[in-house]
Amino acid sequence: EWGDDSMIPHIDIKATGENIKALMKSTGVTPTEIKEWCNFTTVQPIYHWIHGRHLPSVDSLVILACMFGCKVDDIIVIKVG
């Protein structure tokens, strides 16, 4: 039942960050490359993502998916409960 909090899906920020880190490693994409593609002035947001402090914006997720050659759904980790 949807009224039960244990059934509500949410994004696991820490697991998503770990997934971004793994995808960066497997594709050879660097924080500097992501910074440039996302038009950031520093790499700090990328480190915030991979350490599970923040989630990328939807725009950044689309850019990451393009860089990694995958779908946005392959980047985010959904948990239920």
Side-chain angles (χ1 to χ4, degrees), residues 9-63:
H10 65 279
I11 297 173
D12 184 324
I13 298 172
K14 194 156 192 70
T16 297
E18 292 167 3
N19 201 31
I20 291 170
K21 185 176 182 178
L23 286 163
M24 288 172 64
K25 185 175 182 175
S26 69
T27 59
V29 172
T30 67
T32 301
E33 290 170 322
I34 295 171
K35 175 192 78 133
E36 291 168 2
W37 276 56
C38 290
N39 219 12
F40 296 152
T41 56
T42 70
V43 295
Q44 189 171 6
I46 295 100
Y47 288 107
H48 283 240
W49 301 339
I50 64 176
H51 294 295
R53 293 188 190 111
H54 301 287
L55 284 171
S57 68
V58 173
D59 286 340
S60 294
L61 284 168
V62 171
I63 291 168

